Amino acid sequence: MTDQDRSPRPDRRTLSSAARLYAVQALFQMEAAGQSADRVTREFQNFRIDFEDRDGPTAEADEALFNRIVDDAVTWQSRIDQATDRGLVARWPIDRIDPVLRAVFRAAGAEIVAERAPAKVVISEYVRLTEAFFPEGREARFVNAVLDHVARDLRPDSLP
């Protein structure tokens, strides 16, 4: 296949959004299957990100961002979970919420802790991602509120 046969490379925002989606999926898989970060990231790099199979191609992604999110989520999980717990109703600690939402909070929390992107951008991206998993919208509003609290907790100067 020549370069002319390939479609144009997606823009940076599209690649970043795909990396975030894959990171949420990887964090979910790590928890659900009890698999290590190394095993899951290798699987995603080899068989999921920009991969062609019988069902067709999967999305290309910013693999460096994907790796950073997963690594930072693992490294900072306790800190992220504690900040998320403080943003949740006291009777609903993070270990009692939907595992997909937990993965969303951990991925977003990793980006908030790492301070590589503005908190508002991180919150917006993960709210949009939540809408893809939960189209009803209720969960997206919930994620927005909790991530706003998490950002104010972990990066007090990040939001007005």
Side-chain angles (χ1 to χ4, degrees):
M1 182 181 285
T2 67
D3 287 340
Q4 293 175 343
D5 294 334
R6 287 184 149 277
S7 57
R9 182 173 169 90
D11 65 20
R12 184 170 170 80
R13 182 175 181 190
T14 301
L15 293 172
S16 295
S17 293
R20 289 178 173 109
L21 171 64
Y22 287 131
V24 168
Q25 292 173 334
L27 292 169
F28 175 86
Q29 180 176 326
M30 287 166 52
E31 182 177 347
Q35 296 174 334
S36 71
D38 289 339
R39 178 178 176 178
V40 172
T41 54
R42 266 194 320 276
E43 178 183 327
F44 273 74
Q45 291 166 336
N46 294 331
F47 302 109
R48 298 209 185 166
I49 298 173
D50 196 22
F51 183 74
E52 179 103 28
D53 66 7
R54 70 179 191 285
D55 297 325
T58 60
E60 190 175 346
D62 179 340
E63 287 191 48
L65 177 60
F66 165 77
N67 286 324
R68 279 194 311 268
I69 293 169
V70 173
D71 288 344
D72 288 346
V74 170
T75 300
W76 297 105
Q77 182 174 328
S78 177
R79 186 173 178 202
I80 294 163
D81 286 358
Q82 289 170 8
T84 303
D85 276 344
R86 289 188 292 271
L88 296 168
V89 176
R91 292 172 294 178
W92 289 100
I94 193 167
D95 62 340
R96 291 187 62 193
I97 64 171
D98 183 283
V100 173
L101 291 177
R102 200 166 33 248
V104 168
F105 290 136
R106 288 176 176 157
E111 288 201 68
I112 290 168
V113 168
E115 298 187 29
R116 290 189 185 97
K120 287 177 84 166
V121 170
V122 172
I123 293 168
S124 295
E125 285 291 314
Y126 285 95
V127 166
R128 218 166 39 96
L129 191 62
T130 301
E131 291 169 343
F133 287 111
F134 302 96
E136 306 83 39
R138 183 183 62 173
E139 288 85 354
R141 290 188 299 278
F142 173 65
V143 165
N144 186 57
V146 172
L147 288 180
D148 183 76
H149 187 279
V150 168
R152 290 176 194 283
D153 187 356
L154 296 176
R155 286 173 53 190
D157 298 332
S158 65
L159 296 172

